[in-house]
């Protein structure tokens, strides 16, 4: 069968118009929504080209997911598992509390140099007979906020400001508070266990040495240059052993405890990190409290109260062994 000499030409299908410019026929389409689009309405994407609407909605979705990610606590983390922060709220608050305690004792004694007999000092310092025999357990922590004279508090607050800011950024607020107060507990435990039961002590240096022990663990973990740490420890060791009436036991107890808390936090498994950190710190706290209770069972009961004895116009707080 022969073909006709001029076969009919099939009409070409019309191209669809652009979704945003219907008068512009186009053979292109969005790789995401599939709508036809002219070249002016398409933007290059990781895969193919997308229309301007899809690019805009995708950007909004990414921002929303990023905010949800940050709000859920899964943002950028430090080696301790804390969220990055540039604030020093905890360090500033601790410093302010110490200063307020000191100013109250200055007002009570009307002396910036000889405030050791202030009623707040006598009720706050750490003394084994009063703490354990008299049942005044609050002294374990209040002793970390009382200071004897301007030089004492000035030196400790300078150290707190210099060391605390960096550690607060690394550990975050909650973990930094844990390091500080558990170190304070460790310093008080060492004093209660081994010091003269009638000797009184106070100051933030026990907790500060805990921060130094924490800093030492960071240096080891990150393999940093230890020169700065060694100089700091050498200076504080010289002050500890050369100046009379400084509690060596509190410094050693705080240093060791701070290092142990830092190990529990920094070397916790990555999976369920916060839970393992809490368990590790909790074990240290329970062990310290166990030692304190053990020591308390060894000391006799004491009757502690303000008596008629007066020094520089201030009644004295004394303990009487039952």
């Amino acid at each position: 069968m022969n073909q006709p000499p001029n076969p009919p030409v099939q009409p070409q299908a019309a191209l669809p118009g652009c979704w945003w410019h219907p008068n512009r026929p186009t053979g292109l389409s969005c790789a995401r929504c599939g709508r036809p689009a002219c070249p002016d309405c398409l933007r290059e994407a990781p895969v193919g080209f997308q229309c301007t609407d899809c690019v805009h909605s995708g950007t909004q979705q990414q921002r929303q997911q990023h905010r949800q990610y940050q709000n859920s606590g899964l943002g950028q983390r430090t080696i301790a598992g804390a969220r990055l922060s540039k604030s020093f709220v905890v360090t500033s608050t601790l410093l302010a509390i110490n200063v307020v305690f000191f100013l109250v004792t200055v007002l009570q004694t009307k002396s910036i140099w000889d405030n050791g007999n202030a009623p707040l000092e006598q009720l706050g310092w750490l003394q084994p007979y009063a703490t354990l025999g008299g049942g005044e357990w609050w002294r374990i922590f209040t002793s970390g906020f009382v200071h004897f004279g301007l030089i004492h508090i000035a030196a400790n607050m300078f150290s707190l400001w210099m060391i605390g800011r960096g550690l607060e950024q690394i550990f975050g607020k909650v973990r930094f508070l844990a390091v500080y107060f558990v170190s304070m507990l460790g310093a008080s435990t060492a004093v209660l266990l081994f010091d003269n039961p009638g000797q009184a002590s106070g100051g933030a240096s026990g907790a500060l040495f805990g921060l130094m022990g924490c800093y030492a663990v960071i240096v080891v973990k990150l393999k940093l240059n230890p020169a700065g740490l060694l100089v700091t420890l050498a200076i504080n060791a010289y002050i500890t052993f050369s100046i009379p009436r400084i509690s060596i036991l509190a410094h050693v107890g705080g240093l060791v405890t701070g290092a142990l808390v830092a190990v529990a936090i920094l070397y916790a498994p990555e999976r369920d990190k916060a839970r393992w950190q809490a368990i590790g710190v909790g074990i240290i706290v329970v062990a310290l409290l166990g030692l304190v209770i053990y020591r308390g069972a060894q000391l006799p009961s004491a009757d502690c109260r303000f008596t008629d004895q007066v020094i520089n116009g201030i009644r004295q707080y004394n303990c009487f062994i039952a």
Side-chain angles (χ1 to χ4, degrees), residues 16-20 26 28-38 42 49-54 57:
C18 173
W19 185 270
W20 296 267
T26 179
L28 305 176
S29 62
C30 175
R32 184 174 182 179
C33 66
R35 291 180 293 183
C38 66
L42 291 175
F49 290 83
Q50 295 182 6
C51 64
T52 52
D53 286 354
C54 288
S57 63

Side-chain angles (χ1 to χ4, degrees), residues 127-319:
Q127 186 190 52
Y129 277 139
T131 305
L132 302 179
E136 298 176 352
W137 296 87
W138 67 80
R139 294 175 180 268
I140 292 175
F141 294 103
T142 57
S143 60
F145 294 95
V146 296
H147 292 84
F148 308 104
L150 180 61
I151 295 178
H152 189 202
I153 188 171
N156 280 348
M157 293 305 98
F158 176 77
S159 298
L160 174 59
W161 182 248
M162 296 302 294
I163 301 174
R165 290 177 299 165
L167 290 181
E168 183 177 347
Q169 284 187 313
I170 295 174
F171 283 83
K173 297 175 178 58
V174 175
R175 293 173 180 84
F176 178 72
L177 280 172
V179 173
Y180 191 88
F181 280 102
V182 177
S183 296
M184 187 184 295
L185 174 61
S188 297
T189 301
V191 171
L192 294 174
L193 284 175
F194 304 110
D195 206 355
N196 181 352
Q199 182 69 36
S201 61
S205 53
L208 295 177
F209 265 78
L211 298 184
M212 288 185 227
C214 179
Y215 179 35
V217 175
I218 294 175
V219 169
V220 173
K221 181 175 177 60
L222 298 182
K223 299 179 181 179
L224 303 176
N225 186 349
L229 173 64
L230 294 176
V231 171
T232 302
L233 290 176
I235 294 174
N236 283 275
Y238 173 77
I239 295 174
T240 300
F241 290 99
S242 62
I243 299 179
R245 298 180 61 187
I246 287 184
S247 178
I248 299 174
L249 289 170
H251 290 185
V252 174
L255 182 72
V256 173
T257 304
L260 290 176
V261 174
V263 169
I265 293 176
L266 297 178
Y267 288 90
E270 289 299 326
R271 184 179 179 85
D272 294 330
K273 193 180 188 74
R275 182 170 67 90
W276 285 110
Q277 289 174 339
I279 292 174
V281 175
I283 291 173
I284 297 173
V285 171
V286 170
L288 292 173
L289 291 178
L291 292 173
V292 171
I293 294 173
Y294 169 77
R295 178 58 173 163
Q298 295 179 330
L299 292 180
S301 300
D303 178 21
C304 301
R305 62 182 185 274
F306 281 101
T307 63
D308 294 332
Q309 181 185 4
V310 177
I311 298 179
N312 295 330
I314 299 176
R315 296 175 62 191
Q316 299 301 294
Y317 193 86
N318 295 312
C319 290

Side-chain angles (χ1 to χ4, degrees), residues 4-192:
N6 295 311
V9 178
Q10 297 294 329
Q12 185 178 4
L15 294 175
C18 173
W19 185 270
W20 296 267
H21 305 97
N23 60 337
R24 297 183 186 178
T26 179
L28 305 176
S29 62
C30 175
R32 184 174 182 179
C33 66
R35 291 180 293 183
C38 66
D40 292 338
C41 297
L42 291 175
R43 301 291 182 270
E44 187 174 2
V47 179
F49 290 83
Q50 295 182 6
C51 64
T52 52
D53 286 354
C54 288
V55 170
H56 181 68
S57 63
T59 302
Q60 286 186 326
Q61 184 178 5
Q62 287 180 348
R63 290 176 180 174
Q64 183 179 4
Q65 290 175 346
H66 181 71
R67 284 195 297 267
Q68 293 174 348
Y69 181 75
Q70 294 289 340
N71 294 336
S72 65
L74 300 174
Q76 190 173 2
R77 298 277 179 164
T78 67
I79 59 172
R83 295 179 62 182
L84 287 177
S85 174
K86 294 183 179 180
S87 66
F88 316 117
V89 175
V90 174
T91 301
S92 301
T93 302
L94 290 173
L95 194 150
I97 293 173
N98 278 277
V99 172
V100 169
F101 263 70
F102 180 73
L103 292 177
V104 171
T105 62
V106 169
L107 292 175
Q108 289 177 337
T109 58
K110 298 179 175 60
S111 174
I112 199 172
W113 302 104
D114 187 17
N115 64 318
N117 286 324
L120 182 61
E121 290 271 324
Q122 297 184 62
L123 288 173
W125 63 37
L126 185 66
Q127 186 190 52
Y129 277 139
T131 305
L132 302 179
E136 298 176 352
W137 296 87
W138 67 80
R139 294 175 180 268
I140 292 175
F141 294 103
T142 57
S143 60
F145 294 95
V146 296
H147 292 84
F148 308 104
L150 180 61
I151 295 178
H152 189 202
I153 188 171
N156 280 348
M157 293 305 98
F158 176 77
S159 298
L160 174 59
W161 182 248
M162 296 302 294
I163 301 174
R165 290 177 299 165
L167 290 181
E168 183 177 347
Q169 284 187 313
I170 295 174
F171 283 83
K173 297 175 178 58
V174 175
R175 293 173 180 84
F176 178 72
L177 280 172
V179 173
Y180 191 88
F181 280 102
V182 177
S183 296
M184 187 184 295
L185 174 61
S188 297
T189 301
V191 171
L192 294 174

